[in-house]
Amino acid sequence: MNKPLRHIAIFCGLLVFALLLRDNWLQFVRADELNSHERNRRVTIERYASVRGDIIVDGKPITGSVDSKDPLYRYKRTYVNGPMWAPVTGFASQAYGANQLEKLNDSILTGNDDRLFFDRTLSMFTGEQKKGGNVVTTLNGAAQKAAFEGLGDKKGAVAAIDPQTGRILALASTPSYDPGSFAGYSGKDEKSWVALEKDKDKPKLNRALREIYPPGSTFKVVTAAAAIENGIIKDINAPTDTPEPYKLPLSTVPMKNHASGCKNASLNYAMEVSCNSVFAKLGDEVGRDKMVEMAEKFGFNNPEIDTPVRAAASVYDKKMDRGGNALSSIGQFNTATTPLQMAMVTAAIANDGKLMKPYMVDHLVAPNLDVIEKHEPEEMSRPMSAETAQLVQKMMENVVEKGTGGNAKIRDVTVGGKTGTAQHGEKNKARPYAWFISYAKTDSGSPVAVAVVVEDSDATRDDISGGGLAAPIARDVMKAVLDSRR
Amino acid sequence: MSVVTNTTTIGAIDAPSRRNTELMLLGFAVAIPVFAYLNVGLALDGEVPAGMLGYGLGLGILAGIAHLLVRRFAKYADPLLLPLATLLNGLGLVLIWRLDQSPRLIADSMRKYGSHSADAPQQLLYSAIGVAMFLLVLVFLKDHRVLQRYTYISMVVAIVLLLLPLVPGLGTDSFGAKIWIRVGPFSIQPGEFAKIVLAVFFAGYLMVKRDALALASRRFMGLYLPRGRDLGPILTIWAISLAILVFENDLGTSLLFFGMFVVLLYVATERTSWIVMGLLMAVGGAVVVGSFATHVQSRVAAWLDPFECLKTAPPDTNMAWACDQMTQVLMSFGSGGTIGTGLGQGNSDLITFAVNSDFIFATVGEELGLAGAMAFILLYGLIVERGLRTALAARDPFGKLLACGLSGAFALQVFVVAGGVMGLIPLTGMTMPFLAYGGSSVIANWALIAILLRISDTARRPAPAPAPSPDAEMTQVVRP
C-alpha cells in the first residue's frame, strides 16, 4: 500500500503548492490592484484616521477636526462659523467628498502630500500620530464678517481684493450653508445634504466666484476706461455729443435715461448720475473689438481664473452686432460677470491700471510649521495706462462724493465707487440686481477693492438701489480692512 | 555496513523517542503565540495586555500536561504533531481575541443583537476541552487497532451524526447551511466529529474488502470496472455526500467525505480507475446540484468574478451578499501585501460576518501578509506530511488506511477552506482547523491529532527484542 500512499502524499503536496501559488498571486501580484480598488474602503478609512490640517485666517483656524469615535471613519471635519466661511473653505465630508480649498489642498490637509514625506517618515519612527498640514489664506476675518453680516438674510455676494497684491480679502455668499452639517456620513448628515440640494435658493452655490450676473451700470467704468484709452475722450469734463433720447444703432428703440441732464453730458457727469445714453454711445464709438479687448484685459472671457478655486468665466460677447455692443457697454445684453470679476476691474483701476492675479492661499505649512509653498503676488495684465486709471478714479471718487454712491463715504478716506442696477428676467420684470463696486485709497495706494451684488432686493427699480443696498455693505467691508491695517 | 532491508522509517532497535525534541518545539509553540498576544495588545491599546500572563500560563500548562502524557503513554509518537497543533491553536486564540476587540465588529453586533460577547474566552475553554479530549484518546486508546472492531458501528454513528442537523427541533439553520445542532446552550457541528468516525469506518471496511475491490473487476476501455455489488459502498457514499450537499447546503463537508473515500479506495486497492470514477462522479454530482441549488450558484458566481458579480447581482440578494463578502476577503488579502499590516493593525473586520470563523485566514493574510499566510499554509502542510509519514510507517493496513484517511481529510479541509477564502475554488464555509472559532472543530481536531499520535507511536515503537533462545546454549562448542 505504500506506493499509492506516496502518490497521495504528492497529491497533498500539490494542494499545498496550489495554495502557496494562489497566495502569492493574491498578495504579491495583485496586491496593488486590490489595495487601490475603488471598493476598498481602507483608503477612506486611512484618510479619516488622522487629524486633518486646518484652513487658517488671520492666524486662527476656521476649521477643526473632531474625534467622532466612529469605528469606521474616525475624524470628522468641523467648521468655525461655517456659513460665513463656506465660500472660502468649501466642504470636506466623509460621505460627499470635498470641494474648493478643502479639495484643492486635500493632500496637504490629509498629510499625504509627497512634500510631507519626511514628516510622515519621522512620525512613523517617533510613533506620533500622522497630522495634516495647514492652508494659510489671504482672507481678512473682519472684512469677511462685515461682508457676511452686511448681506444678512438678503441673497447676494461680496468679493474684496487687495489691489496691490491680488490677495482676496473677503468672499461672502448668501444664503449660505454650514459645511459641518454634513461632514460625517450618518443619516443626519444625509438629511442636511439632501435638504441643501433641494433648496430653491441654492445655498451651496458660491455666488462670489461661481455665479455670473449682468453687471448693469458698474460696467460703465470699463467703457469709460476703454473710451479714454482709445482716445475718444480726452477731457472727462468736456461735453459729449450725445442726444436725448439716444437711438441705439440698428434699432428704432430710443434709449432713455433715469437721470436728468444727460444730453451732451460730460463723461464725469454721466458717471456721476449714471447716464445710459452717454456710455452706450461711447461703447459704440470704441467699437466691439476694442471693447472686447479691454474687457478681456480685465479678465472677461477667461475660463481659467484660479484663485486657486476656479471662478466662472465672465462674459463679454465677442460676436454681437453694433446694437448689442452698445447695450453691453452699459452692462446689459449678454454681459455677465462674477462678483470677483467686478472686484478685479475695480482693483485694476485702483491700482493705477495694473491688474494683479487674485489669490486666496498665501502659503501652505507642514505639520511642523515649515512653509512648503508660498504664493507670490503676480501681475495678470495691464488693462490701461496709469493716467487713464487715474482719470477713471477721479470719476469714481466723484460718484461717491456727489453722485449715486454717497452711501459708501468713509470719513477721512478717499473712496471711489460705482453703483449698478442690473435688469434681468423676461421683459425686466424680475427684481433687479443691486450692484456696487468701490475701492478705498490711502497715502500708500489702495488697500481694498470691493464688489457687492444683492440679488433679491425689494428696493425700487432705481439706479439708487445699488447705492442704497449694496454700497453700505461695501463701505463696511472697506472700513473693516482699513481698521485692521491701522 | 548493515544492509537496510525495509523502506519504512522505522528505526532500528533503540530508536530515539524524540520526546526532548518535542519539548523544545513546544517551547516555541507556546512562546510564539504569547509574543503575538503581546503584539496585538501593543498595537491596539499601546500597553502590555492584562491577560498576557494568564494566557501564557494557560497555554503553557495545557501544552506541558499534553507533553507529559505523551511521554508516559505514547513515548515513540511523532514529535512534530503536538507542537504544530499547539502553535496553531495558540495563534488562533490570539487572532480571535484580536477580532473580539474590533470596534467595528462590536458596533455591528450591538446594532444587530444589542449585545456583544467576546469569543476568545469561550475558544480558550473549547481548546482546554480539546486538549482533554486529546489526553483521553491517548490514555484510553492503547492500540489503534481496537477501533477496527467498531467498523460498522462507526458507519451507523457517522450517518446519524451527519443526519442529525436535519432532525426538526434539533438542527438549526444558520446562515443558509444546516450543519449545526443545538443542545441546550451549545451548538455542535456534528460533521466535524463525523470526519473521524467516517475515517474509522472507511479504513475498517476497505481493509476487509480491498482484495475484492481490487481484483474482482472487469477490464473495460482501459479501466477496471468493479462488480456491481462492490460498487455498492461507493455509490452509497456518493449519494450520502450529495444528500448532505442538497439538504444541508454544505458543499465543504460533502466534498471532504467523498474525497476522503476516493483517496482511501485508491490506497487500499492500488487501482487508478477508482480515482477516475470518483472524479467523474464528483463532477457529475456537482453539476447536477449546481444547476438547481441557488446557494451553490451564488458561491460559484462569487468565485468566478466577485467584483463583476457585485455589479450585476440584484441588490440585497443572497448572491450580492456572497459576492460582497468575497470582494471584502480578497481586498483583505490584497491589503496585507508581502509583510502584512502587523497584528491588530489591519481592517479584516470589514468582512464583518464570520470573520473569526470561516474567514479567519483573511485576517492572517492581511495582518501577517504573504509571509505569514505562507507560513500558516506550510504549518498545515507539515501536519499532513507527518500524518502521511505515519501512514507509511504503520505496520498494519488498518493503521495505514486510518492515518491516511485522517491526514487526507485534514489536507482536503485546509485546501477547501484556504482555497475558498483565497478565491482559488468556490467558497464552502468550512473552518480552518485549530485557527477558527468553534468548539466542535477544535475538539474534533485535537482528537484527530491524538489518533495520529497513537498510530505513529505504534509504528515507531521498536520491535521487542527476540526472546533468548534456549537452543543457543545447547549448541555451543565446548572445548575441553
Side-chain angles (χ1 to χ4, degrees), chain B residues 22-167:
Chain B
E22 182 183 81
L23 184 61
M24 195 188 72
L25 288 175
L26 267 178
F28 282 112
V30 172
I32 293 170
V34 169
F35 179 70
Y37 193 87
L38 173 69
N39 211 329
V40 172
L42 286 176
L44 290 179
D45 309 318
E47 52 192 46
V48 178
M52 189 162 130
L53 192 67
Y55 172 77
L57 278 177
L59 198 64
I61 288 171
L62 283 181
I65 294 174
H67 171 72
L68 287 177
L69 275 148
V70 170
R71 239 176 221 277
R72 169 78 179 75
F73 290 100
K75 192 181 168 203
Y76 291 96
D78 190 289
L80 251 66
L81 285 169
L82 178 61
L84 284 170
T86 310
L87 177 59
L88 288 171
N89 199 163
L91 286 173
L93 278 166
V94 171
L95 290 170
I96 292 165
W97 179 67
R98 176 258 173 280
L99 289 169
D100 274 345
Q101 299 176 17
S102 148
R104 266 167 234 154
L105 294 177
I106 293 174
D108 206 47
S109 120
M110 289 304 281
R111 198 166 51 241
K112 278 189 198 133
Y113 312 112
S115 67
H116 172 79
S117 58
D119 287 333
Q122 260 183 302
Q123 180 75 355
L124 189 61
L125 178 68
Y126 292 142
S127 306
I129 299 175
V131 175
M133 187 73 159
F134 172 86
L135 300 177
L136 286 176
V137 171
L138 275 190
V139 171
F140 289 103
L141 186 69
K142 293 273 192 255
D143 188 340
H144 62 269
R145 278 167 293 195
V146 172
L147 294 173
Q148 214 172 317
R149 292 183 206 150
Y150 303 110
T151 303
Y152 290 96
I153 294 176
S154 299
M155 182 187 74
V156 175
V157 169
I159 290 177
V160 167
L161 279 176
L162 285 175
L163 298 182
L164 268 183
L166 294 177
V167 176

Side-chain angles (χ1 to χ4, degrees), chain B residues 302-382:
Chain B
W303 165 61
L304 287 174
D305 193 346
F307 289 104
E308 190 54 40
C309 130
L310 200 55
K311 282 181 216 152
T312 52
D316 286 329
T317 55
N318 207 357
M319 186 176 285
W321 204 66
C323 295
D324 180 59
Q325 199 171 42
M326 202 59 222
T327 58
Q328 291 297 342
V329 174
L330 288 184
M331 288 186 293
S332 235
F333 275 102
S335 314
T338 315
I339 56 167
T341 57
L343 275 173
Q345 295 172 45
N347 288 304
S348 59
D349 43 8
L350 287 174
I351 303 166
T352 64
F353 175 68
V355 66
N356 67 3
S357 52
D358 295 23
F359 301 113
I360 196 154
F361 196 56
T363 305
V364 174
E366 177 158 0
E367 302 199 340
L368 297 174
L370 176 61
M374 294 216 298
F376 268 88
I377 293 170
L378 290 175
L379 287 179
Y380 283 112
L382 263 180

Side-chain angles (χ1 to χ4, degrees), chain A residues 130-147:
Chain A
K130 191 180 99 183
K131 259 189 79 185
N134 292 339
V135 174
V136 179
T137 67
T138 61
L139 280 109
N140 179 316
Q144 179 79 4
K145 190 158 182 266

Side-chain angles (χ1 to χ4, degrees), chain B residues 164-179:
Chain B
L164 268 183
L166 294 177
V167 176
L170 198 58
T172 54
D173 185 349
S174 356
F175 320 111
K178 289 182 214 135
I179 51 175

Side-chain angles (χ1 to χ4, degrees), chain B residues 160-233:
Chain B
V160 167
L161 279 176
L162 285 175
L163 298 182
L164 268 183
L166 294 177
V167 176
L170 198 58
T172 54
D173 185 349
S174 356
F175 320 111
K178 289 182 214 135
I179 51 175
W180 282 274
I181 57 168
R182 186 165 284 284
V183 184
F186 301 102
S187 65
I188 300 170
Q189 211 176 328
E192 288 284 349
F193 297 101
K195 182 169 68 183
I196 297 171
V197 183
L198 264 183
V200 171
F201 162 62
F202 289 159
Y205 176 82
L206 291 172
M207 191 196 73
V208 177
K209 296 280 173 159
R210 53 194 280 240
D211 290 335
L213 285 166
L215 303 173
S217 54
R218 273 180 303 249
R219 207 180 148 85
F220 177 72
M221 282 174 66
L223 288 176
Y224 288 95
L225 285 186
R227 294 180 304 189
R229 59 178 161 178
D230 296 328
L231 210 58

Side-chain angles (χ1 to χ4, degrees), chain B residues 223-470:
Chain B
L223 288 176
Y224 288 95
L225 285 186
R227 294 180 304 189
R229 59 178 161 178
D230 296 328
L231 210 58
I234 193 169
L235 286 177
T236 313
I237 295 299
W238 181 66
I240 290 176
S241 63
L242 276 190
I244 295 170
L245 183 53
V246 173
F247 295 112
E248 300 182 9
N249 266 340
D250 190 359
L251 204 64
T253 310
S254 77
L255 193 88
L256 184 64
F257 295 156
F258 195 66
M260 180 163 83
F261 186 60
V262 172
V263 163
L264 286 185
L265 261 177
Y266 170 65
V267 173
T269 61
E270 308 194 14
R271 289 254 183 255
T272 325
S273 47
W274 285 111
I275 299 226
V276 177
M277 282 184 39
L279 280 178
L280 286 177
M281 289 172 79
V283 169
V287 167
V288 170
V289 172
S291 60
F292 64 84
T294 55
H295 185 71
V296 177
Q297 280 167 354
S298 55
R299 289 199 162 170
V300 170
W303 165 61
L304 287 174
D305 193 346
F307 289 104
E308 190 54 40
C309 130
L310 200 55
K311 282 181 216 152
T312 52
D316 286 329
T317 55
N318 207 357
M319 186 176 285
W321 204 66
C323 295
D324 180 59
Q325 199 171 42
M326 202 59 222
T327 58
Q328 291 297 342
V329 174
L330 288 184
M331 288 186 293
S332 235
F333 275 102
S335 314
T338 315
I339 56 167
T341 57
L343 275 173
Q345 295 172 45
N347 288 304
S348 59
D349 43 8
L350 287 174
I351 303 166
T352 64
F353 175 68
V355 66
N356 67 3
S357 52
D358 295 23
F359 301 113
I360 196 154
F361 196 56
T363 305
V364 174
E366 177 158 0
E367 302 199 340
L368 297 174
L370 176 61
M374 294 216 298
F376 268 88
I377 293 170
L378 290 175
L379 287 179
Y380 283 112
L382 263 180
I383 291 186
V384 174
E385 189 262 348
R386 297 315 289 189
L388 289 171
R389 181 174 272 256
T390 299
L392 277 174
R395 295 172 198 151
D396 61 307
F398 176 75
K400 271 186 191 300
L401 285 173
L402 184 56
C404 175
L406 291 177
S407 33
F410 195 87
L412 276 176
Q413 181 163 359
V414 170
F415 177 74
V416 164
V417 187
V421 170
M422 291 195 291
L424 182 59
I425 56 170
L427 195 67
T428 53
M430 286 179 87
T431 53
M432 211 71 175
F434 294 115
L435 216 53
Y437 173 74
S440 318
S441 170
V442 172
I443 297 167
N445 282 307
W446 272 112
L448 185 150
I449 295 290
I451 296 172
L452 281 180
L453 272 188
R454 168 56 67 216
I455 300 172
S456 78
D457 176 52
T458 316
R460 291 163 51 97
R461 191 176 287 276
S469 163

